[in-house]
């Protein structure tokens, strides 16, 4: 498999070519099939994944954990930040150097500081996967998002995707934008109140995708194959009153969608707060739990690829 151009670390989707996703998704399909008949495989037997989550996580941490166990490896989790020496003032750098000293085969790191995964990769000998660095990037979320879209639509070429919500603070939509840009004739509609619109650094990095911006989804919905919704990133607001003001500024439910005859597939990285009403969950267009489930298989394929590349080097 063609690894990311920045070699073994997975820090960003910016430089990842489409051939990488194509190979990763073939591997994902293969593992998925094998796991239909066996509960645990042996591809990564004897390998250790270290998970270091310094911001809350449910899906990313758990799906990486399940993924490594399913392919025969072991996982050591850093545990809650409050229980670690970070709480005594130890630096991120010292913590990463120490964990790397225990010689894990791969490390997943999540931290609120943009650029922290790159910093960890510079320090560590083990390959580092960015599990989310502040509002910057979340590359493995983009991988599972693309995988889910491709399964539904057959191809990503020509896809029309609405990215809606707190785009200003979102790391999932930036990584997803860079990844979508590698496919042909993709249209991305950034849908958000002006205060939450996509960061210019994200749009400026795109070289292929057709880009439009809108404040509301009403007129955009009929054009879309997928509507990807994100929550308001409360923890990234400097001013709590600003969060309260914008809370509820975009919400989807059955009633709001009922005026449209053609509906896009609804996606969401989760967790949701109040932007996606649970009354949508039983609709066949609701794909967010499928995304979360796919995450385990895509991450298993990624871990397998990284571990086998480092074993053979
Ligand atoms: C996302 C994240 O952490 O960026 N969650 C996830 O990994 N599935 C989205 C979010 O927290 O809003």
């Amino acid at each position: 498999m063609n690894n990311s151009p920045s070699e073994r670390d997975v820090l960003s989707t910016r430089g990842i070519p489409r051939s990488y996703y194509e190979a990763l998704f073939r591997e994902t399909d293969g593992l998925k099939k094998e796991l239909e008949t066996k509960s645990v495989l042996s591809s990564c037997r004897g390998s250790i994944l270290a998970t270091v989550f310094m911001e809350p996580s449910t899906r990313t941490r758990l799906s990486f954990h399940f993924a490594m166990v399913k392919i025969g490896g072991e996982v050591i989790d850093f545990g809650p930040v409050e229980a670690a020496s970070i709480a005594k003032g130890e630096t991120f750098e010292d913590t990463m150097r120490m964990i790397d000293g225990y010689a894990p085969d791969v490390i997943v790191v999540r931290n609120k500081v943009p650029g922290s995964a790159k910093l960890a990769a510079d320090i560590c000998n083990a390959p580092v996967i960015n599990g989310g660095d502040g509002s910057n990037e979340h590359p493995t979320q983009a991988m599972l998002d693309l995988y889910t879209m491709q399964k539904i639509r057959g191809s990503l070429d020509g896809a029309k995707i609405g990215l809606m919500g707190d785009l200003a603070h979102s790391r999932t939509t930036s990584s997803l934008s860079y990844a979508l840009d590698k496919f042909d004739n993709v249209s991305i509609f950034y849908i958000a109140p002006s205060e939450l619109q996509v960061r210019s650094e994200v749009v400026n990095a795109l070289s292929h995708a057709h880009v439009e911006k809108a404040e509301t989804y009403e007129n955009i919905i009929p054009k879309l194959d997928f509507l990807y919704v994100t929550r308001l990133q409360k923890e990234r607001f400097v001013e709590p009153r600003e969060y309260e003001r914008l809370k509820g500024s975009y919400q989807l439910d059955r009633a709001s969608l009922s005026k449209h005859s053609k509906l896009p597939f609804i996606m969401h990285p989760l967790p949701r707060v109040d932007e996606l009403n649970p009354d949508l969950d039983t609709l066949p267009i609701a794909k967010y739990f499928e995304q979360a489930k796919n995450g385990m298989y895509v991450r298993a394929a990624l871990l397998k690829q990284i571990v086998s590349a480092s074993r053979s080097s």
Side-chain angles (χ1 to χ4, degrees):
M1 196 189 296
N2 175 14
N3 203 347
S4 100
S6 62
E7 353 57 61
R8 68 226 179 109
D9 303 307
V10 179
L11 305 177
S12 163
T13 51
R14 280 196 189 214
I16 298 182
R18 67 183 284 164
S19 57
Y20 176 96
Y21 299 111
E22 285 158 1
L24 182 70
F25 298 163
R26 274 196 300 278
E27 181 82 75
T28 305
D29 287 338
L31 282 179
K32 211 172 182 176
K33 190 137 194 53
E34 279 191 83
L35 286 166
E36 278 169 17
T37 52
K38 292 185 190 146
S39 64
V40 176
L41 310 176
S42 58
S43 349
C44 282
R45 190 179 291 150
S47 296
I48 300 173
L49 163 71
T51 51
V52 186
F53 282 75
M54 297 176 174
E55 274 196 317
S57 172
T58 299
R59 272 149 294 273
T60 308
R61 184 211 302 257
L62 272 180
S63 64
F64 263 115
H65 198 141
F66 269 92
M68 192 56 165
V69 169
K70 293 255 182 195
I71 56 176
E74 310 259 349
V75 184
I76 306 287
D77 185 59
F78 176 71
V81 173
E82 305 77 55
S85 288
I86 291 257
K88 301 181 194 166
E90 186 165 40
T91 62
F92 175 73
E93 287 90 328
D94 283 1
T95 306
M96 294 313 302
R97 187 167 293 122
M98 195 270 313
I99 292 167
D100 190 55
Y102 296 146
D105 294 278
V106 47
I107 302 173
V108 182
V109 63
R110 169 174 288 189
N111 189 282
K112 67 176 184 216
V113 180
S116 51
K118 166 83 173 74
L119 180 59
D122 290 344
I123 292 168
C124 297
N125 286 310
V128 170
I129 300 175
N130 182 3
D133 61 330
S135 55
N136 184 37
E137 282 217 49
H138 192 353
T140 65
Q141 177 69 41
M143 291 171 188
L144 72 92
D145 294 337
L146 287 193
Y147 178 80
T148 306
M149 289 178 186
Q150 199 195 58
K151 283 280 153 219
I152 294 169
R153 194 174 175 273
S155 163
L156 291 161
D157 292 327
K160 296 180 173 55
I161 299 107
L163 301 179
M164 180 168 95
D166 185 357
L167 309 175
H169 301 107
S170 166
R171 55 191 174 204
T172 58
T173 52
S174 46
S175 286
L176 183 54
S177 298
Y178 305 140
L180 285 167
D181 193 48
K182 300 297 186 299
F183 293 83
D184 294 331
N185 289 317
V186 167
S187 301
I188 306 176
F189 298 82
Y190 293 105
I191 309 162
S194 56
E195 300 89 335
L196 301 176
Q197 254 305 349
V198 61
R199 305 189 295 276
S200 53
E201 111 223 358
V202 176
V203 178
N204 292 344
L206 306 180
S207 51
H208 290 94
H210 170 77
V211 170
E212 277 185 40
K213 292 183 192 169
E215 295 228 354
T216 58
Y217 60 83
E218 256 55 2
N219 297 329
I220 312 290
I221 288 240
K223 303 182 188 177
L224 300 177
D225 298 307
F226 300 97
L227 178 59
Y228 187 102
V229 187
T230 62
R231 79 182 162 96
L232 207 53
Q233 307 276 302
K234 185 178 185 181
E235 68 277 27
R236 312 227 186 274
F237 277 78
V238 185
E239 184 48 73
R241 262 180 315 181
E242 185 68 352
Y243 169 79
E244 290 302 326
R245 191 174 70 77
L246 290 162
K247 208 169 78 173
S249 58
Y250 55 94
Q251 280 174 335
L252 273 194
D253 58 15
R254 275 196 192 219
S256 60
L257 291 178
S258 64
K259 38 185 150 337
H260 299 281
S261 55
K262 174 188 170 279
L263 289 176
F265 292 100
I266 311 289
M267 299 182 68
H268 194 302
L270 301 175
R272 63 174 150 190
V273 187
D274 55 7
E275 65 284 355
L276 208 55
N277 195 302
D279 74 356
L280 295 166
D281 296 359
T282 49
L283 292 177
I285 56 167
K287 295 293 177 190
Y288 25 95
F289 289 107
E290 198 170 309
Q291 265 170 280
K293 193 167 160 184
N294 285 338
M296 183 188 75
Y297 296 104
V298 172
R299 287 175 171 132
L302 183 70
L303 289 171
K304 183 179 169 189
Q305 185 264 314
I306 291 174
V307 168
S308 50
S310 66
R311 274 177 183 168
S312 61
S313 66

